């Protein structure tokens, strides 16, 4: 089955055409800087890359240009459905769903929880409906996989009215990746579907870790928003919440501004002062930059502490799983984290750690030790597979 996968952001539109039978990407595209004179569309297919200027284009014009290109390549006709990445499904959605009016209203009702993400996600859905009427559309939520968390994991210890009246609780994100990667790790390790415990670390620009017991998320590091938990490229992760009021007063700004700084000027970028990109921070550390070294140490130490904490709901950890741009590609970061996890019986095999990565997942610890392994993620494929299953009526 051929599926169009859409990830519609505030000023960007990412898409891919996936052949679900072959689990293969046929084409991918990225429209960026939408709404500005520099708007452009980049298309990758068959090893070739093509870039087109689309000055002033908004989402609808970009989607039309993308669709015209798909038609010209003969990729539009056989499409069986469209899968949309939707960031927040609140407490309404615990799995992917076929989109109808009621589902759209549900996504709309979650806008207060993700004001920057759900509106462009909805826009993508509406544009596709106009452009490709009659083609089934599916919503795949970042939060859905974590709806299986028990109340003692998702409840914050705050006045209960905050939860009842304002839906303040832990939701968790990156669910599509955690679900895909944990299922793959279980297969690779030959674990029983009804008896396994995995801790998955998704380390990209955003980072989160999840405890997966018997195929279900039982706890995760991100919270009401993707700011909680691990140190990330530009996000702080956990901190004393009193810092928000303290810095608002010091900087003479409001709380929203401080939260913005915690989202955009913190994490690896904040500590290193070099970059939010792990490759650049590693290079600076290599060159002797002390703050870059500290940023990496803070990143790895905090990550290891969270991974160890996520063993609690599992009782037994069959494996720690690394994925995402950093998790798949950075052997030094994995080595540092595994070293911290010696307390839980992990012992790195440097030779294995050096060879495993994006192209070949696999074990990176020595035989007999607690297992850590690399499993490449593929969120587009996961979205396409959900879409294909729902379109075929299998879910
Ligand atoms: P996103 O979360 O936007 O999907 P990715 O999963 O691609 O992003 O992860 C991006 C991160 O992966 C960046 O911090 C980047 O520096 C890091 N990364 C990619 N390749 C390497 C590498 N070889 N070594 C270290 N970090 C890497």
């Amino acid at each position: 089955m051929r599926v169009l996968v859409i990830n519609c952001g505030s000023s960007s539109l990412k898409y891919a055409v996936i052949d679900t039978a072959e689990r293969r990407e046929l084409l991918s595209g990225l429209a960026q800087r939408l709404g500005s004179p520099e708007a452009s569309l980049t298309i990758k297919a068959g090893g070739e890359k093509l870039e087109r200027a689309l000055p002033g284009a908004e989402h609808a014009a970009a989607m039309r240009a993308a669709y015209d290109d798909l038609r010209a390549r003969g990729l539009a006709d056989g499409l069986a459905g469209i899968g949309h990445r939707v960031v927040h499904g609140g407490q309404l959605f615990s799995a992917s769903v076929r989109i109808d009016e009621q589902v759209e209203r549900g996504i709309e009702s979650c806008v207060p929880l993700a004001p920057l993400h759900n509106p462009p996600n909805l826009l993508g859905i509406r544009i596709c409906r106009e452009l490709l009427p009659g083609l089934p559309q599916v919503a795949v939520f970042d939060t859905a996989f974590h709806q299986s968390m028990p109340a003692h994991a998702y409840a914050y210890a705050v006045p209960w009215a905050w939860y009842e009246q304002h839906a303040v609780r832990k939701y968790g994100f990156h669910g599509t990746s955690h679900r895909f990667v944990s299922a793959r790790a279980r297969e690779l390790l030959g674990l029983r579907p009804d008896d396994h415990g995995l801790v998955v670390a998704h380390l990209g620009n955003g980072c989160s870790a999840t405890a997966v017991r018997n195929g279900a998320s039982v706890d995760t590091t991100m919270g009401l928003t993707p700011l909680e938990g691990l140190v990330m490229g530009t996000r702080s992760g956990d901190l004393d919440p009193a810092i928000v009021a303290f810095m608002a007063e010091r900087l003479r700004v409001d709380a929203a501004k401080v939260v913005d700084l915690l989202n955009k000027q913190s994490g690896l970028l904040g500590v290193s002062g070099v970059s939010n990109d792990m490759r650049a921070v590693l290079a600076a550390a290599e060159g002797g930059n002390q703050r870059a070294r500290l940023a990496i140490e803070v990143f790895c130490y905090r990550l290891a502490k969270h991974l160890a904490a996520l063993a609690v709901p599992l009782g037994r950890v069959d494996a720690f799983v690394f994925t995402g741009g950093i998790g798949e590609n950075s052997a030094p970061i994995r080595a540092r984290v595994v070293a911290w996890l010696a307390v839980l019986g992990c012992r790195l095999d440097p030779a294995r750690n050096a060879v495993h990565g994006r192209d070949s997942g696999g074990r990176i610890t020595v035989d007999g030790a607690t297992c850590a392994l690399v499993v490449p993620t593929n969120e587009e494929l996961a979205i396409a597979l959900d879409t294909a299953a729902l379109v075929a009526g299998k879910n």
Side-chain angles (χ1 to χ4, degrees):
M1 211 180 260
R2 210 175 262 177
V3 171
L4 175 61
V5 174
I6 303 271
N7 182 353
C8 194
S10 59
S11 64
S12 69
L13 176 79
K14 238 170 122 177
Y15 65 98
V17 178
I18 310 264
D19 182 320
T20 56
E22 291 182 25
R23 298 168 82 96
R24 192 165 67 89
E25 184 180 284
L26 304 176
L27 173 145
S28 69
L30 173 64
Q32 298 180 86
R33 298 179 288 273
L34 296 175
S36 83
E38 292 84 37
S40 66
L41 174 63
T42 309
I43 299 165
K44 285 190 205 161
E48 281 181 22
K49 190 167 152 180
L50 183 137
E51 184 153 352
R52 269 183 63 192
L54 293 176
E58 305 271 358
H59 292 81
M63 190 64 228
R64 177 162 290 284
Y67 182 60
D68 286 346
D69 172 79
L70 289 183
R71 272 216 313 235
R73 293 171 192 266
L75 284 174
D77 299 334
L79 286 176
I82 307 174
H84 291 268
R85 177 185 181 209
V86 179
V87 166
H88 222 305
Q91 300 190 98
L92 290 176
F93 301 104
S94 54
S96 303
V97 285
R98 279 278 286 261
I99 297 172
D100 57 17
E101 266 179 45
Q102 198 188 343
V103 168
E104 263 186 68
R105 275 200 300 274
I107 298 171
E108 186 103 53
S109 74
C110 296
V111 164
L113 293 168
L116 300 179
H117 293 102
N118 275 25
N121 296 161
L122 273 167
L123 181 64
I125 291 168
R126 286 166 187 157
I127 289 172
C128 285
R129 198 179 39 225
E130 267 181 33
L131 201 58
L132 298 149
L135 206 56
Q137 300 203 71
V138 166
V140 180
F141 299 91
D142 268 28
T143 51
F145 183 54
H146 302 298
Q147 279 297 301
S148 48
M149 282 190 289
H152 62 256
Y154 71 68
Y156 290 118
V158 294
W160 201 236
W162 292 12
Y163 171 61
E164 287 178 337
Q165 293 166 23
H166 305 287
V168 171
R169 53 159 281 180
K170 187 184 268 278
Y171 289 96
F173 298 87
H174 291 143
T176 309
S177 177
H178 288 298
R179 177 165 57 101
F180 180 84
V181 167
S182 56
R184 189 83 194 99
R186 185 189 64 69
E187 271 169 32
L188 285 171
L189 298 171
L191 300 169
R192 281 178 44 184
D194 61 348
D195 183 25
H196 64 274
L198 298 165
V199 179
V200 181
H202 175 107
L203 310 174
N205 282 308
C207 301
S208 73
T210 295
V212 179
R213 189 170 61 211
N214 304 342
S217 167
V218 288
D219 202 351
T220 192
T221 56
M222 282 179 168
L224 173 77
T225 76
L227 183 56
E228 189 180 345
L230 308 178
V231 174
M232 314 181 206
T234 60
R235 293 180 218 147
S236 63
D238 292 343
L239 42 70
D240 180 346
I243 291 174
V244 175
F246 180 82
M247 285 311 297
E249 201 204 318
R250 293 280 140 158
L251 300 175
R252 300 184 187 286
V253 295
D254 61 12
K257 177 65 188 170
V258 179
V259 171
D260 190 55
L261 296 171
L262 292 173
N263 268 306
K264 298 186 184 148
Q265 298 293 327
S266 303
L268 290 175
L269 173 66
V271 180
S272 72
V274 173
S275 172
N276 63 307
D277 191 297
M278 184 56 97
R279 279 164 296 198
V281 182
L282 281 163
E286 191 81 356
N289 183 314
Q290 289 305 319
R291 272 177 52 196
R293 283 187 184 170
L294 178 64
I296 290 166
E297 203 54 22
V298 172
F299 180 92
C300 294
Y301 172 66
R302 291 278 199 99
L303 171 57
K305 275 209 305 185
H306 273 286
L307 296 181
L310 288 170
V312 170
L314 296 179
R316 181 191 81 226
V317 179
D318 290 310
F320 293 95
V321 191
F322 290 90
T323 195
I326 299 171
E328 292 165 26
N329 295 305
S330 182
I333 297 293
R334 292 195 301 259
R336 193 73 195 106
V337 176
V338 168
W340 281 118
L341 291 174
V343 65
L344 294 177
C346 288
R347 243 180 70 223
L348 191 78
D349 182 324
R352 286 176 175 168
N353 190 36
V355 295
H356 289 307
R358 178 155 299 224
D359 300 324
S360 83
R363 191 183 177 102
I364 58 169
T365 41
V366 298
D367 293 339
T370 301
C371 180
L373 79 165
V374 181
V375 175
T377 192
N378 192 336
E379 288 170 277
E380 285 79 16
L381 176 61
I383 293 172
L385 291 172
D386 278 11
T387 305
L390 282 164
V391 167
K394 284 196 206 124
N395 271 1

